[in-house]
Amino acid sequence: MKIICVGRNYAAHIDELNNSRPDAPVIFLKPDTAIAQYNLPFFIPEFSKEVHYEVEVLVKINRIGKHLQHKFAHKYYDEIGLGIDFTARDLQNKLKSKGLPWEKAKGFDGSAYVGKWIKKASLTNIDKLPFSLYKNGDLVQQADTSLMLWGIDELIAHISQYFTLKIGDIIFTGTPAGVGPVAKNDLLEGYLDGQKSFSLNIK
Ligand code: ZN
């Protein structure tokens, strides 16, 4: 399986990192080894002094798809989740400034944390799905999917023009504003559509 991530999909987050607004979705991949074990803590890697959390809505692909049209994209997933795209921001900034690929900063072991999956059919409105992240009990990120520059079905259609989607692939749909660093002993808690999605210790 592969992990397909979307960058710069919320206007307020683009502004907080002083990035420019893209005219097409920004896409990058993480290897399957980036998937974090659901029940284990996240271990801050030694090569970074500034690992950031980015809470994101996740989509799990359930059919093989290629060159999909927007109107058919909804048939290619029936589970939605919430996760964290852990990012070694110091390393990413260094790589970005040299025009180099981000993989070391974005695709390291454990960098793709996946919370509980929820059946799409049980969610009220996928196009306005609220989600939030708390760090040590404080609300740090809060948004809903209507604030995405490209919605889930548009992303699936776009991604499938370049990468064949396979069963089990996970799409990280981008993070809203409020990203920030994690430190040892932090507790991250995510909520999707009012339900607790994960509780994650940082080590
Ligand atoms: Zn992200």
Side-chain angles (χ1 to χ4, degrees):
M1 59 83 68
K2 58 188 173 296
I3 303 157
I4 304 144
C5 302
V6 180
R8 305 184 193 175
N9 201 22
Y10 289 84
H13 173 61
I14 293 171
D15 295 342
E16 77 178 342
L17 292 188
N18 290 317
N19 284 322
S20 53
R21 292 190 191 203
D23 45 24
V26 174
I27 304 294
F28 58 96
L29 303 179
K30 294 184 189 240
D32 57 2
T33 45
I35 291 276
Q37 287 294 320
Y38 177 69
N39 50 356
L40 291 182
F42 172 80
F43 292 93
I44 298 175
E46 278 178 10
F47 55 75
S48 178
K49 301 248 173 309
E50 192 191 7
V51 172
H52 277 191
Y53 54 78
E54 295 188 352
V55 76
E56 311 201 359
V57 171
L58 312 181
V59 179
K60 195 199 278 180
I61 297 298
N62 66 354
R63 293 171 66 180
I64 295 181
K66 196 180 171 79
H67 301 302
L68 301 176
Q69 288 179 45
H70 180 182
K71 63 181 174 187
F72 297 123
H74 68 98
K75 295 173 185 259
Y76 288 77
Y77 60 101
D78 57 13
E79 287 178 290
I80 300 281
L82 192 72
I84 297 186
D85 166 19
F86 281 108
T87 303
R89 192 73 70 202
D90 47 356
L91 185 53
Q92 186 195 27
N93 287 338
K94 205 189 278 180
L95 294 167
K96 270 166 75 176
S97 72
K98 294 181 183 164
L100 294 170
W102 297 348
E103 273 80 354
K104 285 181 184 170
K106 283 281 198 183
F108 57 87
D109 287 356
S111 61
Y113 181 78
V114 176
K116 260 182 229 158
W117 291 105
I118 300 175
K119 289 281 173 209
K120 181 169 73 174
S122 73
L123 296 167
T124 35
N125 183 1
I126 282 233
D127 298 320
K128 201 171 170 31
L129 200 56
F131 61 100
S132 54
L133 180 72
Y134 288 77
K135 182 170 99 166
N136 304 326
D138 297 327
L139 179 63
V140 287
Q141 288 191 274
Q142 182 175 42
D144 72 68
T145 52
S146 72
L147 299 168
M148 290 178 168
L149 300 182
W150 288 278
I152 291 173
D153 291 356
E154 284 174 291
L155 290 174
I156 288 176
H158 181 80
I159 290 166
S160 74
Q161 307 305 310
Y162 299 85
F163 307 106
T164 298
L165 294 170
K166 293 175 77 177
I167 296 169
D169 286 351
I170 298 174
I171 301 174
F172 277 67
T173 60
T175 195
V179 301
V182 289
K184 264 186 193 172
N185 301 319
D186 279 347
L187 174 68
L188 297 180
E189 294 168 294
Y191 292 85
L192 177 63
D193 204 26
Q195 298 180 51
K196 185 135 189 194
S197 200
F198 60 81
S199 178
L200 174 63
N201 290 299
I202 308 297
K203 295 288 173 195

